Amino acid sequence: MTLDIRDGIAIIALDHPPVNSLSLALRERIVEQLDAAASNPAVRGIVLAGGERAFSAGADLTEIGTPRQFQEPILRTVIDRIESSSKPVVAAIAGVALGGGLELALGCHRRVALETARVGLPEINLGLIPGSGGTQRLPRLIGIAAAQALMSSGAQQNARQLAGSGLLDEVVSADVVGAATTLVTKIVDSGAPFPRARDRNLDISEVRTIVVAQREKLTARQRLQPAYGALLDALVASSLPFDEGMKKERELFLDLVPTAAAQALRYQFKATQDATKRPTELTAPPRRVGTVAVIGAGTMGSGIAIAALDAGLTVQLIEQDAEALDRGRERIVEHYRARVAVGKLSQEIASSNGDRLRAVIDWHVLRDADLVIEAVFEDLGVKQDVFRKIDAHARPGAILATNTSYLDIDQIAAVTSRPEDVLGLHFFGPAEVMKLLEVVRGSKTAADVVATGMSVGSTLKKVPVLTGNAFGFVGNRIYNAYRRQCEFMLEDGAWPEDVDRALTDIGFAMGPFTVADLSGLDVAWRMRKAQAATRDPRERYVAILDRLCEAGRLGRKAGAGYYTYVDGKQSKTTDEAVRYVIIKASAQRGLHRRRLKPEEIQRRALLAMVNEAALLLAEGVAGRPSDVDVVLVHGYGFPRWMGGPVFWARKQDRAQLQADLRNLAEEGGHGFVLADLSPLLNA
Ligand code: NAI
């Protein structure tokens, strides 16, 4: 084993591309090099360095759940060896130091980082807590409050923000290994005992006060995930003697690994990675996209423009008249103003983004666009007119996308001379925030156009999921089936607040009737009216929403929908007028109203999603079962720690699931198509 020694300092380089994940082999190598450095009299101190891209991104995810994860030297052992080394160790951090990677650095005696480095402890996002001393060393280095904030957010922080914080002793603009070498030499020369996180003690009463306050502040959704409580328990233990705290952290960590939430979060992580990967049959390289034209500067168009500006793209915003254009531009300007005001964005970046925006009503600019995204009114005729115009102005080879929620991509593509360049890019509102992007492939869409849609999604920091071209694609198809089931439950005997509460109780971001009020009941009403002529009269059709709209209850914006709103605040229960409409609907269907338990509501809502997911798979609209879960979690507020409807279904007793679904189909009446669940459950 050769050791890289420079002026008496051994440089131990982590070398496991691409991100130095802490595999068993890497852990063994670190220990070997530590041993070599310890026994070599020419070595006075040690620098532990990563690569440019990563100091270390943490655990090797392919090892999680396998015996290798627990095979010695486990990460705890490696860190222990570093901390108790007879020669001082300084970490030189460039790129990312995340999870176990940061815990490794915390075991070093000092840490130096490049100013562009990013650090974080994202374990909470996988339903876990740091398990290699992070919960014990970090509070000792930066204080309990700051440590709690970093670990419970799971977010990455820039090195620059942490300069001199105790987490990072020095932050430099270049040559991080050189700076670490200088620092370790200084430590050796000083002759003083070198600092170890484990030797510090925390004030017990301060720790307890902060933890008690944080426990009270946990949100309802956090309380549903055991890791948040466990993190606080681990933090309490950081006021104990170090080894006792470490023992407690280990117990808490091991208890979390098999929990349903941690399993589901690991599954979601992998499912999201799979969904965003370009399907293997799409070998065609994506086309280059530098300039994006967004047509329609309404709610969605302005959000899409912001997402593109944030990603460093040049944006042309096009409207039908100056007034609408000004409104759209103002929305974007205001968005950046607000982000700067709250310190989320620097003025410099906001200005640079603003400089790349060109808002016009002249369609000739389209000749410079690589990608055109249409976000005008949801009306086939209007969209077809717009696409004729796009076709006339866009350069050959430009990609033409529609943000339609429901319309047929092929019918839109058909009015152009180049249907192979047309696809759907279905964003979710607010488009600058929501992660999901459905990339919809029309029957004539070329492979490289689909590939470009997927890669643009990643550029925009979205989660792109490929779907087929069918009414509502994947997300809205499932959401409609779910909402319909929830409407059935109103007729059967539940009130809107019963349904909403049952679903938020298991972690849905919002219940369906609160969502409906928020988006405006008139959107659905218009669609229902458009579909009335083709609707099968034998279908179980719940007309409650229509009656509410006829009474002027169009949702939150009208001050009343399923709920009433005073000063924008939603009433806790629905009022008599709404209940009257619902009771009448039950009576007309000849139903004797009965109380629905929360468990029944939850189960029926989930079953409806599962059934529709199986239908979408059979139709080929959804590519893989796990794609459905990615869509629901990233676009519809489905609790991530439940994995998604497919993950949920796989955890159920199969015979019971089938029996319940048959019941659902019977009660759903004519038109409820019972799906074959086996492809979904077996995959
Ligand atoms: P919106 O009504 O806020 O904006 C539409 C904009 O298009 C308006 O500013 C209008 O002036 C402009 N426009 C209309 N005709 C035009 C033309 N011929 N040329 C140029 N501009 C024109 O509508 P919103 O909500 O932004 O929806 C746009 C599209 O996005 C629709 O297809 C909708 O289904 C889809 N969508 C909407 C979501 C939402 O949450 N609102 C979510 C996902 C998709």
Coordinates of all heavy atoms in Angstrom, one line a residue, residues 15-95:
D15 N -11.5 7.5 -3.3 CA -11.5 7.3 -4.7 C -12.5 6.2 -5.1 O -12.1 5.1 -5.4 CB -10.0 6.9 -5.1 CG -9.9 6.9 -6.7 OD1 -10.8 7.4 -7.3 OD2 -8.9 6.3 -7.2
H16 N -13.7 6.6 -5.2 CA -14.8 5.6 -5.6 C -15.8 6.4 -6.4 O -16.8 6.9 -5.9 CB -15.5 5.0 -4.3 CG -16.5 4.0 -4.7 ND1 -17.6 3.8 -3.9 CD2 -16.7 3.2 -5.8 CE1 -18.4 2.9 -4.5 NE2 -17.8 2.5 -5.6
P17 N -15.4 6.6 -7.7 CA -16.3 7.4 -8.6 C -17.7 6.8 -8.7 O -17.8 5.6 -8.5 CB -15.5 7.4 -9.9 CG -14.2 6.8 -9.7 CD -14.3 6.0 -8.4
P18 N -18.7 7.6 -9.0 CA -18.6 9.0 -9.3 C -18.7 9.9 -8.1 O -18.2 11.0 -8.1 CB -19.8 9.3 -10.2 CG -20.8 8.3 -9.8 CD -20.0 7.1 -9.3
V19 N -19.2 9.4 -7.0 CA -19.5 10.4 -5.8 C -18.9 9.8 -4.5 O -19.3 10.3 -3.4 CB -21.0 10.7 -5.7 CG1 -21.5 11.5 -6.9 CG2 -21.8 9.4 -5.6
N20 N -18.0 8.9 -4.6 CA -17.4 8.4 -3.3 C -18.4 7.8 -2.4 O -18.3 8.2 -1.2 CB -16.5 9.4 -2.6 CG -15.2 9.7 -3.4 OD1 -14.7 8.8 -4.1 ND2 -14.8 10.9 -3.4
S21 N -19.4 7.1 -2.9 CA -20.3 6.5 -1.9 C -19.5 5.5 -1.1 O -18.6 4.9 -1.5 CB -21.5 5.8 -2.7 OG -21.0 4.7 -3.4
L22 N -20.0 5.4 0.2 CA -19.1 4.7 1.2 C -19.4 3.2 1.2 O -19.9 2.6 2.2 CB -19.4 5.3 2.6 CG -18.9 6.8 2.6 CD1 -19.6 7.5 3.7 CD2 -17.4 6.8 2.8
S23 N -18.9 2.6 0.1 CA -19.1 1.1 0.0 C -18.1 0.4 0.9 O -17.2 1.1 1.5 CB -18.7 0.7 -1.5 OG -17.4 1.1 -1.7
L24 N -18.3 -0.9 1.1 CA -17.5 -1.6 2.0 C -16.0 -1.5 1.5 O -15.1 -1.3 2.3 CB -17.9 -3.1 2.0 CG -17.0 -4.1 2.8 CD1 -17.0 -3.7 4.2 CD2 -17.6 -5.5 2.6
A25 N -15.8 -1.6 0.2 CA -14.4 -1.5 -0.3 C -13.8 -0.2 0.1 O -12.6 -0.1 0.5 CB -14.4 -1.7 -1.8
L26 N -14.5 0.9 -0.1 CA -13.9 2.2 0.2 C -13.7 2.3 1.7 O -12.6 2.9 2.2 CB -14.9 3.4 -0.2 CG -14.4 4.8 0.1 CD1 -13.0 5.0 -0.6 CD2 -15.4 5.8 -0.5
R27 N -14.6 1.8 2.5 CA -14.4 1.9 4.0 C -13.1 1.1 4.4 O -12.3 1.6 5.2 CB -15.6 1.3 4.7 CG -16.9 2.1 4.4 CD -18.0 1.7 5.4 NE -18.4 0.3 5.5 CZ -19.3 -0.3 4.8 NH1 -20.1 0.3 3.9 NH2 -19.6 -1.6 5.0
E28 N -12.9 0.0 3.8 CA -11.7 -0.8 4.1 C -10.5 -0.1 3.7 O -9.5 0.0 4.4 CB -11.8 -2.2 3.3 CG -12.7 -3.2 3.9 CD -13.0 -4.4 3.1 OE1 -12.7 -4.4 1.9 OE2 -13.5 -5.4 3.6
R29 N -10.6 0.6 2.5 CA -9.4 1.3 2.0 C -9.0 2.5 3.0 O -7.8 2.7 3.3 CB -9.6 1.8 0.6 CG -8.4 1.8 -0.2 CD -8.6 1.9 -1.7 NE -9.8 1.4 -2.2 CZ -10.7 2.1 -2.9 NH1 -10.5 3.3 -3.2 NH2 -11.8 1.6 -3.4
I30 N -10.0 3.2 3.5 CA -9.7 4.3 4.4 C -9.0 3.8 5.6 O -8.0 4.3 6.0 CB -11.0 5.0 4.8 CG1 -11.7 5.6 3.6 CG2 -10.7 6.2 5.8 CD1 -13.1 6.2 3.9
V31 N -9.5 2.7 6.2 CA -8.9 2.1 7.4 C -7.4 1.7 7.1 O -6.5 2.0 7.9 CB -9.7 1.0 8.0 CG1 -9.0 0.3 9.1 CG2 -11.1 1.5 8.5
E32 N -7.2 1.0 6.0 CA -5.9 0.6 5.6 C -4.9 1.8 5.6 O -3.8 1.8 6.1 CB -5.9 -0.1 4.2 CG -6.3 -1.5 4.3 CD -6.6 -2.1 2.9 OE1 -6.1 -1.5 1.9 OE2 -7.3 -3.1 2.8
Q33 N -5.4 2.9 4.9 CA -4.5 4.0 4.8 C -4.3 4.7 6.1 O -3.2 5.2 6.4 CB -5.2 5.0 3.8 CG -5.3 4.4 2.4 CD -4.6 5.2 1.3 OE1 -4.4 6.4 1.4 NE2 -4.3 4.5 0.2
L34 N -5.3 4.7 7.0 CA -5.1 5.3 8.3 C -4.1 4.5 9.1 O -3.2 5.1 9.7 CB -6.4 5.3 9.1 CG -7.5 6.3 8.8 CD1 -8.8 6.0 9.5 CD2 -7.0 7.7 9.2
D35 N -4.2 3.2 8.9 CA -3.2 2.3 9.6 C -1.8 2.6 9.1 O -0.8 2.8 9.9 CB -3.5 0.8 9.4 CG -4.6 0.4 10.2 OD1 -5.0 1.1 11.2 OD2 -5.2 -0.7 9.9
A36 N -1.7 2.7 7.8 CA -0.4 3.0 7.1 C 0.2 4.3 7.6 O 1.4 4.5 7.9 CB -0.5 3.0 5.6
A37 N -0.7 5.3 7.7 CA -0.3 6.7 8.1 C 0.2 6.6 9.6 O 1.2 7.3 10.0 CB -1.4 7.7 7.9
A38 N -0.6 5.9 10.4 CA -0.3 5.8 11.8 C 1.1 5.2 12.1 O 1.8 5.7 12.9 CB -1.4 5.0 12.6
S39 N 1.4 4.2 11.3 CA 2.6 3.4 11.6 C 3.8 4.0 10.9 O 5.0 3.6 11.0 CB 2.5 2.0 11.2 OG 2.1 1.9 9.8
N40 N 3.6 5.0 10.0 CA 4.7 5.6 9.3 C 5.3 6.8 10.0 O 4.6 7.9 10.1 CB 4.2 6.0 7.9 CG 5.3 6.5 7.0 OD1 6.4 6.9 7.5 ND2 5.1 6.3 5.7
P41 N 6.5 6.7 10.5 CA 7.0 7.9 11.3 C 7.2 9.1 10.5 O 7.3 10.2 11.1 CB 8.4 7.3 11.8 CG 8.7 6.1 10.9 CD 7.4 5.6 10.4
A42 N 7.2 9.0 9.2 CA 7.4 10.2 8.4 C 6.1 11.1 8.3 O 6.1 12.2 7.9 CB 7.8 9.8 7.0
V43 N 5.0 10.4 8.7 CA 3.7 11.1 8.7 C 3.4 11.9 10.0 O 3.4 11.3 11.1 CB 2.6 10.1 8.4 CG1 1.2 10.8 8.4 CG2 2.8 9.5 7.0
R44 N 3.1 13.2 9.9 CA 2.8 14.0 11.1 C 1.3 14.2 11.2 O 0.8 14.4 12.3 CB 3.6 15.3 11.1 CG 5.1 15.1 10.9 CD 5.8 16.4 10.5 NE 5.7 17.4 11.5 CZ 5.5 18.7 11.3 NH1 5.4 19.1 10.1 NH2 5.5 19.6 12.3
G45 N 0.7 14.4 10.1 CA -0.8 14.6 10.1 C -1.4 14.1 8.8 O -0.7 13.6 7.9
I46 N -2.7 14.1 8.8 CA -3.4 13.5 7.7 C -4.5 14.4 7.1 O -5.2 15.1 7.9 CB -4.1 12.2 8.2 CG1 -3.1 11.2 8.7 CG2 -5.0 11.5 7.1 CD1 -3.7 10.1 9.6
V47 N -4.6 14.5 5.8 CA -5.7 15.2 5.1 C -6.6 14.1 4.4 O -6.1 13.2 3.7 CB -5.2 16.2 4.1 CG1 -6.4 16.7 3.2 CG2 -4.6 17.4 4.8
L48 N -7.9 14.2 4.7 CA -8.8 13.2 4.1 C -9.5 14.0 3.0 O -10.2 15.0 3.3 CB -9.8 12.7 5.1 CG -10.8 11.6 4.7 CD1 -10.0 10.3 4.4 CD2 -11.8 11.3 5.8
A49 N -9.3 13.7 1.7 CA -9.8 14.5 0.6 C -10.7 13.6 -0.3 O -10.5 12.4 -0.4 CB -8.7 15.1 -0.1
G50 N -11.7 14.3 -0.9 CA -12.5 13.6 -1.9 C -12.1 14.0 -3.3 O -11.0 14.5 -3.5
G51 N -13.1 13.9 -4.2 CA -12.9 14.4 -5.6 C -13.5 15.8 -5.7 O -14.0 16.4 -4.8
E52 N -13.4 16.3 -7.0 CA -14.0 17.6 -7.3 C -15.5 17.6 -7.1 O -16.1 18.6 -6.7 CB -13.7 17.9 -8.7 CG -12.7 19.0 -8.9 CD -12.3 19.2 -10.4 OE1 -13.3 19.5 -11.2 OE2 -11.1 19.0 -10.7
R53 N -16.1 16.5 -7.5 CA -17.5 16.4 -7.5 C -18.1 16.1 -6.2 O -19.2 16.5 -5.8 CB -18.0 15.3 -8.5 CG -19.3 15.5 -9.1 CD -19.6 14.5 -10.2 NE -21.0 14.1 -10.0 CZ -21.5 13.1 -10.7 NH1 -20.7 12.3 -11.4 NH2 -22.7 12.8 -10.5
A54 N -17.4 15.3 -5.4 CA -17.9 14.9 -4.1 C -16.8 14.6 -3.2 O -15.8 13.9 -3.5 CB -18.8 13.7 -4.3
F55 N -16.8 15.1 -2.0 CA -16.1 14.5 -0.9 C -16.6 13.1 -0.7 O -15.9 12.2 -0.8 CB -16.2 15.4 0.4 CG -15.5 14.9 1.6 CD1 -14.2 15.0 1.7 CD2 -16.3 14.2 2.6 CE1 -13.5 14.4 2.9 CE2 -15.7 13.7 3.7 CZ -14.3 13.8 3.9
S56 N -17.9 13.1 -0.4 CA -18.6 11.8 -0.4 C -20.1 12.1 -0.3 O -20.5 12.9 0.5 CB -18.2 10.9 0.8 OG -19.1 9.8 0.9
A57 N -20.9 11.4 -1.2 CA -22.3 11.6 -1.2 C -23.0 10.7 -0.2 O -24.3 10.6 -0.1 CB -22.9 11.4 -2.6
G58 N -22.2 9.9 0.6 CA -22.9 9.2 1.7 C -22.9 7.7 1.4 O -22.2 7.1 0.6
A59 N -23.9 7.0 2.1 CA -24.0 5.6 2.0 C -24.1 5.1 0.5 O -24.6 5.8 -0.3 CB -25.2 5.1 2.8
D60 N -23.7 3.9 0.3 CA -23.8 3.2 -1.0 C -25.2 2.6 -1.0 O -25.5 1.6 -0.3 CB -22.7 2.2 -1.2 CG -22.8 1.5 -2.5 OD1 -23.8 1.7 -3.2 OD2 -21.8 0.9 -2.9
L61 N -26.1 3.3 -1.8 CA -27.5 2.8 -1.7 C -27.7 1.4 -2.2 O -28.7 0.7 -1.8 CB -28.4 3.8 -2.5 CG -28.5 5.2 -1.9 CD1 -29.4 6.1 -2.8 CD2 -29.0 5.2 -0.5
T62 N -26.8 0.9 -3.0 CA -26.9 -0.5 -3.4 C -26.7 -1.5 -2.3 O -27.0 -2.6 -2.3 CB -26.0 -0.8 -4.6 OG1 -24.7 -0.7 -4.1 CG2 -26.2 0.1 -5.8
E63 N -26.0 -1.0 -1.2 CA -25.7 -1.8 -0.1 C -26.8 -1.8 0.9 O -26.9 -2.7 1.8 CB -24.4 -1.3 0.6 CG -23.2 -1.9 0.0 CD -21.9 -1.5 0.8 OE1 -22.0 -1.0 1.9 OE2 -20.8 -1.8 0.3
I64 N -27.7 -0.8 0.9 CA -28.7 -0.7 1.9 C -29.6 -1.9 1.9 O -30.1 -2.4 0.9 CB -29.5 0.6 1.8 CG1 -28.6 1.7 2.2 CG2 -30.8 0.6 2.6 CD1 -29.2 3.0 2.5
G65 N -29.8 -2.5 3.1 CA -30.7 -3.7 3.2 C -29.9 -5.0 2.9 O -30.4 -6.1 3.0
T66 N -28.6 -4.9 2.5 CA -27.8 -6.1 2.3 C -26.8 -6.3 3.5 O -26.5 -5.3 4.2 CB -27.0 -6.0 1.0 OG1 -25.9 -5.1 1.2 CG2 -27.9 -5.6 -0.2
P67 N -26.3 -7.5 3.6 CA -25.3 -7.7 4.8 C -24.1 -6.8 4.6 O -23.5 -6.4 5.7 CB -24.9 -9.1 4.6 CG -25.9 -9.8 3.8 CD -26.5 -8.7 2.9
R68 N -23.7 -6.4 3.4 CA -22.5 -5.5 3.3 C -22.6 -4.2 4.1 O -21.6 -3.7 4.5 CB -22.3 -5.2 1.8 CG -22.0 -6.4 0.9 CD -21.9 -6.0 -0.5 NE -20.7 -5.4 -0.9 CZ -19.6 -6.1 -1.2 NH1 -19.5 -7.4 -1.0 NH2 -18.5 -5.4 -1.5
Q69 N -23.8 -3.7 4.2 CA -24.0 -2.4 4.9 C -23.5 -2.6 6.3 O -23.0 -1.6 6.9 CB -25.5 -2.1 4.9 CG -25.9 -0.7 5.5 CD -27.4 -0.6 5.7 OE1 -28.2 -1.4 5.4 NE2 -27.7 0.6 6.2
F70 N -23.7 -3.8 6.9 CA -23.4 -3.9 8.3 C -22.0 -4.7 8.5 O -21.7 -5.1 9.6 CB -24.5 -4.7 9.0 CG -25.8 -3.9 9.0 CD1 -26.9 -4.3 8.2 CD2 -25.9 -2.7 9.7 CE1 -28.0 -3.6 8.1 CE2 -27.1 -2.0 9.6 CZ -28.2 -2.4 8.8
Q71 N -21.3 -4.9 7.4 CA -20.0 -5.6 7.5 C -18.9 -4.7 7.9 O -18.8 -3.6 7.4 CB -19.7 -6.2 6.1 CG -18.7 -7.4 6.2 CD -18.7 -8.1 4.9 OE1 -19.7 -8.3 4.2 NE2 -17.5 -8.5 4.5
E72 N -18.1 -5.1 8.9 CA -17.0 -4.2 9.4 C -15.9 -4.1 8.3 O -15.7 -5.1 7.6 CB -16.4 -4.8 10.6 CG -17.3 -4.7 11.9 CD -17.4 -3.3 12.4 OE1 -16.7 -2.4 11.9 OE2 -18.2 -3.1 13.4
P73 N -15.3 -3.0 8.2 CA -15.6 -1.8 9.1 C -16.8 -1.1 8.6 O -16.9 -0.6 7.5 CB -14.3 -0.9 8.9 CG -13.8 -1.3 7.5 CD -14.2 -2.7 7.3
I74 N -17.8 -1.0 9.5 CA -19.0 -0.1 9.2 C -18.5 1.3 9.3 O -17.4 1.6 9.9 CB -20.2 -0.4 10.1 CG1 -19.8 -0.2 11.6 CG2 -20.7 -1.8 9.9 CD1 -21.0 -0.2 12.5
L75 N -19.3 2.2 8.9 CA -18.9 3.6 8.8 C -18.6 4.2 10.2 O -17.6 4.9 10.4 CB -20.0 4.5 8.2 CG -19.7 6.0 8.0 CD1 -18.4 6.1 7.2 CD2 -20.8 6.7 7.3
R76 N -19.3 3.7 11.2 CA -19.1 4.1 12.6 C -17.6 3.8 13.0 O -17.0 4.6 13.7 CB -20.0 3.4 13.5 CG -21.4 4.0 13.6 CD -22.2 3.3 14.6 NE -23.2 4.3 15.1 CZ -23.5 4.5 16.3 NH1 -23.0 3.9 17.3 NH2 -24.5 5.4 16.6
T77 N -17.2 2.6 12.6 CA -15.9 2.2 13.0 C -14.8 3.1 12.3 O -13.8 3.5 12.9 CB -15.7 0.7 12.5 OG1 -16.8 0.0 13.0 CG2 -14.4 0.2 13.1
V78 N -15.0 3.3 11.0 CA -14.1 4.2 10.3 C -14.0 5.5 10.9 O -12.9 6.0 11.2 CB -14.6 4.3 8.8 CG1 -13.6 5.2 8.0 CG2 -14.7 3.0 8.1
I79 N -15.1 6.1 11.3 CA -15.1 7.5 11.9 C -14.5 7.4 13.2 O -13.7 8.3 13.6 CB -16.6 8.0 12.0 CG1 -17.2 8.2 10.6 CG2 -16.6 9.3 12.7 CD1 -18.6 8.5 10.5
D80 N -14.7 6.4 14.0 CA -14.1 6.2 15.3 C -12.6 6.2 15.2 O -11.9 6.8 15.9 CB -14.6 4.9 15.9 CG -14.6 4.9 17.4 OD1 -14.8 6.0 17.9 OD2 -14.3 3.9 18.0
R81 N -12.1 5.5 14.2 CA -10.7 5.4 13.9 C -10.1 6.7 13.6 O -9.0 7.0 14.0 CB -10.4 4.4 12.8 CG -10.8 2.9 13.1 CD -9.8 2.3 14.1 NE -8.4 2.4 13.7 CZ -7.9 1.6 12.8 NH1 -8.6 0.5 12.4 NH2 -6.6 1.7 12.4
I82 N -10.8 7.5 12.8 CA -10.3 8.8 12.5 C -10.2 9.7 13.7 O -9.2 10.3 14.0 CB -11.2 9.5 11.4 CG1 -11.1 8.8 10.1 CG2 -10.9 11.0 11.2 CD1 -12.1 9.2 9.0
E83 N -11.4 9.7 14.5 CA -11.4 10.6 15.6 C -10.4 10.3 16.7 O -9.8 11.1 17.3 CB -12.8 10.5 16.2 CG -13.2 11.7 17.1 CD -14.6 11.7 17.5 OE1 -15.1 10.6 17.9 OE2 -15.3 12.8 17.5
S84 N -10.1 9.0 16.8 CA -9.1 8.6 17.9 C -7.7 8.4 17.3 O -6.8 7.9 18.0 CB -9.6 7.3 18.5 OG -9.7 6.3 17.5
S85 N -7.5 8.9 16.1 CA -6.2 8.8 15.5 C -5.2 9.5 16.3 O -5.4 10.6 16.9 CB -6.3 9.3 14.0 OG -5.0 9.8 13.6
S86 N -3.9 9.0 16.3 CA -2.9 9.7 17.1 C -2.3 10.8 16.4 O -1.5 11.6 16.9 CB -1.8 8.7 17.5 OG -1.3 8.1 16.2
K87 N -2.7 10.9 15.1 CA -2.2 12.1 14.3 C -3.4 12.8 13.8 O -4.4 12.2 13.4 CB -1.4 11.5 13.1 CG -0.1 10.8 13.5 CD 0.6 10.1 12.4 CE 1.8 9.3 13.1 NZ 2.6 8.6 12.1
P88 N -3.4 14.1 13.8 CA -4.6 14.9 13.5 C -5.1 14.7 12.0 O -4.2 14.5 11.1 CB -4.2 16.4 13.7 CG -2.7 16.4 13.6 CD -2.2 15.0 14.1
V89 N -6.4 14.7 11.8 CA -7.0 14.5 10.5 C -7.8 15.7 10.2 O -8.7 16.1 10.9 CB -7.8 13.2 10.5 CG1 -8.3 13.0 9.0 CG2 -7.1 12.0 11.0
V90 N -7.6 16.3 9.0 CA -8.4 17.4 8.5 C -9.1 17.0 7.2 O -8.5 16.4 6.3 CB -7.6 18.7 8.3 CG1 -8.4 19.8 7.6 CG2 -7.0 19.2 9.6
A91 N -10.4 17.3 7.2 CA -11.2 16.9 6.0 C -11.1 18.1 5.0 O -11.2 19.2 5.3 CB -12.6 16.7 6.3
A92 N -10.8 17.7 3.7 CA -10.8 18.7 2.6 C -12.0 18.5 1.7 O -12.1 17.5 1.0 CB -9.5 18.6 1.8
I93 N -13.1 19.4 1.9 CA -14.3 19.1 1.2 C -14.5 19.9 0.0 O -14.6 21.2 0.0 CB -15.5 19.4 2.2 CG1 -15.3 18.5 3.5 CG2 -16.9 19.1 1.6 CD1 -16.3 18.9 4.6
A94 N -14.7 19.2 -1.2 CA -15.1 19.9 -2.4 C -16.3 19.1 -2.9 O -16.5 18.0 -2.5 CB -14.0 19.8 -3.4
G95 N -17.2 19.8 -3.7 CA -18.4 19.1 -4.2 C -19.3 18.9 -3.0 O -19.5 19.8 -2.2

